[in-house]
Amino acid sequence: MVFDKPNDEGFMAQALAEAEKARALDEVPIGCVIVHEGKIVARAYNRREVDADPLAHAEVRAITEAAKALGRWRLTGCTLYVTLEPCVMCAGAIVLARLDRVVYGATDPKAGAVASLYEILADARLNHRPDVTGGVLAEECSRALSDFFRDKRQKA
């Protein structure tokens, strides 16, 4: 599979490293990085259980960190890399933050809001539509999730 940007796999590998931090906390291993001008300006991973916060998805946390790092809420000029296709909440946050591009790894047939269940980021009724690339390091991203849930089932 060929991707539009030469650094997509490298940045997705960084998002996978964030996902491992979530796994170490017994969180669903989803990681995210945001890149501006070729440099990572934000890193985050799921912390819903640890923080007892339903909004503590990797993407939302990374968007908040990127806005702080850049000193602005409009994240134009930025690309978000996330290991799992964003959900409805995260897709909405991506639109509102005006990210130029979204790159995700694994698809999410149960909650994906970019291509699987909904196509929020392509909806012409919204005032912003980022470019989207899916399937970057998809096998590695899927494996991180399936290994996590397999281990959870074995412990139960």
Side-chain angles (χ1 to χ4, degrees):
M1 188 176 291
V2 178
F3 304 113
D4 294 336
K5 305 292 179 188
N7 295 324
D8 282 355
E9 289 185 359
F11 289 127
M12 188 61 73
Q14 293 295 309
L16 275 164
E18 292 300 309
E20 282 304 310
K21 294 176 185 176
R23 184 185 175 107
L25 295 173
D26 203 30
E27 294 274 355
V28 176
I30 300 170
C32 182
V33 298
I34 296 180
V35 174
H36 180 256
E37 295 180 350
K39 294 186 173 124
I40 295 174
V41 296
R43 298 172 175 270
Y45 51 88
N46 271 10
R47 289 185 54 98
R48 291 188 309 171
E49 301 297 332
V50 172
D51 294 346
D53 181 356
L55 305 179
H57 286 208
E59 301 96 318
V60 171
R61 294 183 64 238
I63 288 168
T64 298
E65 289 303 313
K68 286 179 187 175
L70 297 174
R72 56 189 167 94
W73 66 266
R74 286 182 186 89
L75 299 180
T76 52
C78 293
T79 299
L80 180 144
Y81 292 84
V82 63
T83 57
L84 182 66
E85 178 184 356
C87 70
V88 171
M89 175 183 71
C90 293
I94 288 164
V95 169
L96 294 173
R98 310 295 196 273
L99 284 145
D100 283 352
R101 187 165 177 253
V102 173
V103 179
Y104 66 89
T107 58
D108 186 354
K110 293 184 178 179
V114 176
S116 296
L117 294 180
Y118 305 100
E119 294 181 358
I120 291 173
L121 301 185
D123 193 323
R125 297 170 294 178
L126 299 174
N127 63 344
H128 180 73
R129 288 178 299 286
D131 291 331
V132 175
T133 302
V136 176
L137 298 185
E139 283 185 38
E140 294 89 335
C141 294
S142 293
R143 189 176 320 112
L145 290 160
S146 59
D147 289 353
F148 173 79
F149 287 113
R150 182 198 64 230
D151 293 348
K152 289 292 253 185
R153 285 189 301 274
Q154 289 176 350
K155 290 178 186 175

